[in-house]
Amino acid sequence: DIDYLEQLTRQAAATINRANTYSTILQYATLDALTNLNNRRQFETRLGQEIAIAKRQDNPLCAMMIDIDFFKGVNDKHGHAAGDEVLRTVASIIKDALRESDIPARYGGEEFAVLLPFTKLDEAKVVGERLRYAVESTPITINQDNPQKQDINITISMGLAEYNKTETGEALFERADKALYDAKTGGRNRVCVNI
């Protein structure tokens, strides 16, 4: 009986180790290492799933594209470590401002994307403005381990679009990206909508 229990214990330990390894690999495959948000690949997978749900259940779905204003200037003036801190802080603000069911991601560079399931465009605009204000009003401490640490303020521009039940996920995000472009060319630190 003792031999059997020892074998069972070894097998259980090996199974737990494999499960932990798989979980770690899955995390690396789906999360952005710097911000801990979904990475672009995972976001595109979730986009396909949410489009299918919105179509099947006739639910509203909104897409949000976010860009940190003048991010290159942060890197140029304060260095890449400061840029990384800005990205982490903005990601944290985005995550805290959203519901559990919303799907935020680091889309690339200083761009973020968010899916807002069960959300109409007017509701998404309220969320967007709240998020824009939260970023604008949150000082970000850079060079924290340095005697020259300082707080900087940044802003974001945002584009929103609502899924129209006939388009693809890519078309939805093209419209949100067009609205983001309008926000940036319109003066930045604003939310624009593509209807």
Side-chain angles (χ1 to χ4, degrees):
D1 286 344
I2 292 176
D3 286 345
Y4 174 73
L5 288 175
E6 286 176 352
Q7 273 185 332
L8 194 60
T9 301
R10 281 192 299 276
Q11 287 176 344
T15 301
I16 289 170
N17 283 338
R18 281 194 296 275
N20 287 339
T21 300
Y22 176 76
S23 175
T24 301
I25 290 169
L26 185 62
Q27 183 177 2
Y28 286 135
T30 59
L31 295 181
D32 175 68
L34 182 64
T35 63
N36 261 345
L37 295 180
N38 291 308
N39 63 24
R40 185 173 180 161
R41 180 184 313 165
Q42 177 65 7
F43 182 79
E44 289 171 350
T45 299
R46 294 297 308 275
L47 173 62
Q49 294 167 347
E50 293 301 324
I51 291 284
I53 291 169
K55 265 186 194 178
R56 186 172 55 252
Q57 298 178 358
D58 197 31
N59 293 328
L61 172 67
C62 283
M64 180 183 284
M65 288 296 291
I66 303 166
D67 189 77
I68 299 174
D69 295 331
F70 305 110
F71 182 74
K72 184 179 182 317
V74 173
N75 277 335
D76 291 348
K77 183 176 180 182
H78 303 288
H80 290 285
D84 288 351
E85 186 58 34
V86 167
L87 289 168
R88 279 191 293 270
T89 302
V90 170
S92 177
I93 293 168
I94 290 170
K95 194 170 186 179
D96 290 346
L98 298 176
R99 303 167 300 186
E100 188 82 18
S101 60
D102 297 332
I103 303 161
R106 182 172 177 204
Y107 205 67
E110 72 273 12
E111 276 194 329
F112 297 88
V114 180
L115 284 175
L116 303 166
F118 308 103
T119 306
K120 293 184 176 292
L121 194 56
D122 56 340
E123 299 164 330
K125 189 161 184 186
V126 171
V127 172
E129 286 293 345
R130 185 177 67 227
L131 181 55
R132 185 201 58 73
Y133 178 75
V135 171
E136 177 184 43
S137 60
T138 303
I140 300 172
T141 304
I142 58 170
N143 302 323
Q144 293 182 10
D145 300 330
N146 190 320
Q148 297 173 357
K149 75 177 180 176
Q150 68 182 95
D151 287 345
I152 62 172
N153 288 86
I154 57 149
T155 59
I156 57 174
S157 297
M158 186 181 309
L160 297 173
E162 184 173 359
Y163 179 59
N164 68 19
K165 307 294 190 281
T166 62
E167 65 190 341
T168 63
E170 293 77 20
L172 171 64
F173 264 88
E174 283 176 17
R175 290 193 303 114
D177 200 40
K178 168 74 169 83
L180 172 61
Y181 177 80
D182 293 343
K184 288 163 70 173
T185 58
R188 291 183 164 81
N189 191 24
R190 65 190 65 229
V191 177
C192 286
V193 172
N194 187 323
I195 297 176

